[in-house]
Amino acid sequence: MTRGQHGGKSRFLGAQRRRGQWYAVAPALAATVVAVCVPAAYAAAPPAPAAPADGLDRYHRQRLDWGSCVKGPHDTAGRDLDRAGASCADVTVPLDYADPGGRTITVAVSRLKATDTRRRIGAVLLNNGGPGGTAVESPPHIRKAMKEVGARYDIVGFDPRFVGRSTPLDCGWPVGTAWFSAGSGRAGFDRQVALQKDLADKCRAAGASVLPHISTRNTARDMDVIRGALGERRISYLGYSYGTYLGTVYTQMFPGRYDRVVLDGAVTPGDYKARLMQGAEPENERALSDWAAWAAGRHDTHGLGRTRAEVLATVEGIVAASARGPLTVGTAPDVFRLDDTQIPLILFMGIADDTDRARTALAEQVSALAKAARGRPAPLSPDFAQLLRYALTGEQAATGGVQAAIICGDVGAPRDPEVYWRDIERSRAAHPLFGPLTNNINPCAFWDRPREDLTRVRRDAAVLIVAATGDPRTTYRSSVALHGLLPSSKLITLENANRHGLYGEYGNACVDDEVNAYLATGKLPKEDRTCGTVSSSD
């Protein structure tokens, strides 16, 4: 799912980018609750990493061939990395860690080396969420966010297995995401059942031999191979959104092999399930309501209503019109047909960032949808057209397929469509807009069962958790719950922000300074800290 971020930044269920890319195609199927075990006494982390398991030595000791990040004449991200002084390499990892002598794949990494070598701290590994988000392009941005302490780290981005520049998987989907609403009635839900089964079937046909090995636990194993290949005894970590779950899994699987860990917009393992956003309806409704109040104050610009209630009524009218028949949105050459299974997704993607810039973008989108609902489609902004192409066509379908593969490879889901329909109907009265979205069926209902059980939280971990009280993706409640599971952790709370992803993104000096102090010293704050919201136009 996304926040207003720099290019390439991903979040929970989706890839949100600062320059208008959509965030968070949200969520997922829940029926299976993550098994989290919290014993009374935590196992102590060993003082140093253990030797690699038999058969993995050659991966941990491999020599990386660092070079240019440019992959071809149109690789602008690679050129940007080269200009920033980064270098890139491919790390070889086993497809199946139970068979390290078998088939191998590659994981793409980038690195900005420390310039303050005398005071070098180590390497910090980045993950931007998604699941399925890339981070190879991220080291220059993160170095800027880290300010003075950035010079003391090797900053390392990686694209998880089968993502981005790593060994690819393309399921050949006709859409860029699987996370749609069930719509207003049974007919829409039945179309969703057929679509989701087709998406699962396409992934199975395209990648049957690799799907069983796409999981968070295997990505954590890849991270440890990266650590070894970099020559680091311990590695620091910065993860956003889903990346916080990945970071938590790493601390449990590889105690003693991590140093400083920052989890931004955290999800507790108990909330990681097939329907990832199930239960987050109130946060999303509040974020939409707050946006409506903002838009009401700018009626003369956007024409959506002069009060919060009028703006929300405009939104309801759009959804109702799309339920009567697909809306024609945009004009040639960017024309799309959107129905009531897709409109809620567009709204959902727009409310994970409460900066003026992001709110203006959503207002422009809703204005275009309102015109379409009145039968008068208007030209779309380039960003909105890009968002719709991404979500509703196969232009970047590889992203959605890998995202589903990770989630469905981690956690099982109910197989019976009627389970989802009952949940949708129960949620509809209280949450008519977002309930049919967060409870809807997705490909996990038709996926093979995961190979491994979910990771249990058995060890304490002294990590820094960063969270906004109004985060509509990984809710504040989830960050607080993770904080409770890890008693040695500390929590930095940003009050009154409907924002997913804070450090280095939102422009809050209090949050950024707390994170950078921890990265510089390795010392967590003595107490949890609350930061106030500062308005931002980013």
Side-chain angles (χ1 to χ4, degrees):
M1 293 107 142
T2 341
R3 32 190 240 235
Q5 336 50 260
H6 68 287
K9 187 74 74 173
S10 279
R11 290 303 182 259
F12 231 162
L13 291 187
Q16 165 184 332
R17 303 178 195 250
R18 165 171 295 189
R19 290 185 290 273
Q21 185 183 356
W22 64 293
Y23 161 86
V25 180
L29 294 156
T32 302
V33 176
V34 175
V36 177
C37 175
V38 187
Y42 287 89
D54 289 345
L56 294 178
D57 296 49
R58 69 184 179 100
Y59 297 104
H60 284 260
R61 296 172 182 169
Q62 67 186 284
R63 187 179 184 127
L64 300 183
D65 183 16
W66 295 100
S68 172
C69 296
V70 177
K71 294 292 188 181
H74 304 295
D75 185 6
T76 56
R79 286 197 296 274
D80 288 345
L81 284 166
D82 280 3
R83 281 194 291 267
S87 54
C88 291
D90 290 327
V91 179
T92 300
V93 299
L95 172 66
D96 182 358
Y97 277 86
D99 181 20
R103 179 178 171 184
T104 63
I105 59 174
T106 59
V107 174
V109 297
S110 63
R111 180 178 65 179
L112 268 177
K113 295 191 72 173
T115 55
D116 186 353
T117 55
R118 185 176 62 85
R119 299 191 299 157
R120 182 182 181 274
I121 294 169
V124 58
L125 195 61
L126 313 176
N127 183 274
N128 288 324
T134 64
V136 159
E137 74 284 353
S138 297
H141 174 80
I142 296 302
R143 173 154 289 177
K144 181 179 179 181
M146 292 172 73
K147 300 179 180 176
E148 293 81 3
V149 72
R152 301 175 62 191
Y153 280 90
D154 288 357
I155 304 175
V156 181
F158 79 107
D159 289 353
R161 52 174 52 201
F162 300 102
V163 171
R165 295 169 184 242
S166 299
T167 296
L169 170 66
D170 187 347
C171 290
W173 281 7
V175 291
T177 178
W179 318 107
F180 296 104
S181 173
S184 59
R186 182 70 195 215
F189 173 71
D190 288 342
R191 290 195 300 273
Q192 283 294 303
V193 172
L195 171 65
Q196 303 299 337
K197 182 179 186 303
D198 181 61
L199 296 179
D201 289 345
K202 280 181 164 57
C203 275
R204 192 173 294 108
S209 65
V210 301
L211 290 182
H213 309 292
I214 304 178
S215 69
T216 298
R217 288 179 65 85
N218 278 335
T219 298
R221 294 179 177 111
D222 294 343
M223 288 169 53
D224 202 54
V225 170
I226 294 170
R227 177 200 58 77
L230 292 172
E232 302 289 340
R233 288 176 61 80
R234 293 182 177 85
I235 197 162
S236 294
Y237 179 79
L238 168 62
Y240 295 88
S241 191
Y242 159 81
T244 67
Y245 175 69
L246 173 61
T248 301
V249 170
Y250 187 82
T251 68
Q252 302 305 301
M253 292 180 67
F254 299 100
R257 300 189 192 179
Y258 60 89
D259 184 10
R260 302 162 200 195
V261 176
V262 179
L263 306 178
D264 190 321
V267 56
T268 186
D271 286 342
Y272 185 73
K273 48 197 174 185
R275 285 179 283 190
L276 284 170
M277 296 308 301
Q278 190 181 47
E281 298 87 0
E283 286 82 0
N284 281 276
E285 288 165 350
R286 282 198 296 273
L288 181 65
S289 179
D290 289 348
W291 167 81
W294 177 94
R298 293 155 181 82
H299 174 76
D300 291 343
T301 301
H302 302 294
L304 300 176
R306 296 188 180 280
T307 66
R308 183 197 309 255
E310 288 179 359
V311 175
L312 292 174
T314 297
V315 170
E316 292 170 4
I318 293 168
V319 177
S322 70
R324 294 190 292 270
L327 307 182
T328 299
V329 179
T331 58
D334 297 313
V335 180
F336 304 88
R337 299 274 287 170
L338 276 70
D339 63 21
D340 58 340
T341 67
Q342 298 157 335
I343 297 291
L345 170 67
I346 303 306
L347 298 168
F348 176 89
M349 290 191 294
I351 56 175
D353 185 348
D354 63 2
T355 61
D356 283 349
R357 178 175 180 169
R359 284 178 161 176
T360 297
L362 179 58
E364 291 171 351
Q365 293 166 14
V366 173
S367 178
L369 295 173
K371 291 172 183 174
R374 296 193 296 269
R376 298 197 297 272
L380 303 179
S381 70
D383 284 347
F384 192 23
Q386 179 190 23
L387 181 154
L388 294 176
R389 284 195 300 272
Y390 189 16
L392 305 179
T393 75
E395 186 174 291
Q396 297 189 42
T399 301
V402 176
Q403 184 178 86
I406 295 169
I407 297 169
C408 304
D410 283 340
V411 58
R415 318 295 282 185
D416 184 359
E418 295 306 314
V419 171
Y420 301 93
W421 179 245
R422 288 194 293 270
D423 287 346
I424 290 164
E425 289 296 273
R426 278 195 293 265
S427 69
R428 196 185 297 277
H431 310 291
L433 178 59
F434 292 122
L437 174 69
T438 59
N439 290 276
N440 196 23
I441 197 167
N442 70 25
C444 299
F446 308 100
W447 218 262
D448 294 341
R449 293 294 184 184
R451 286 283 185 94
E452 295 187 81
D453 292 335
L454 287 159
T455 302
R456 294 172 180 264
V457 176
R458 298 182 184 275
R459 298 178 183 273
D460 193 5
V463 306
L464 184 64
I465 301 170
V466 179
T469 56
D471 188 337
R473 292 296 169 271
T474 53
T475 66
Y476 184 68
R477 290 178 285 111
S478 201
S479 289
V480 171
L482 180 62
H483 182 34
L485 290 178
L486 303 174
S488 294
S489 66
K490 289 295 183 286
L491 175 63
I492 306 299
T493 297
L494 180 64
E495 292 187 314
N496 303 318
N498 301 322
R499 169 73 178 197
H500 186 56
L502 299 174
Y503 171 67
E505 300 291 341
Y506 196 53
N508 185 275
C510 174
V511 169
D512 291 352
D513 290 348
E514 289 286 350
V515 173
N516 285 334
Y518 168 59
L519 292 173
T521 65
K523 297 179 180 178
L524 289 168
K526 292 182 178 180
E527 304 291 341
D528 293 342
R529 175 80 189 276
T530 297
C531 295
T533 304
V534 177
S535 61
S536 171
S537 59
D538 181 20

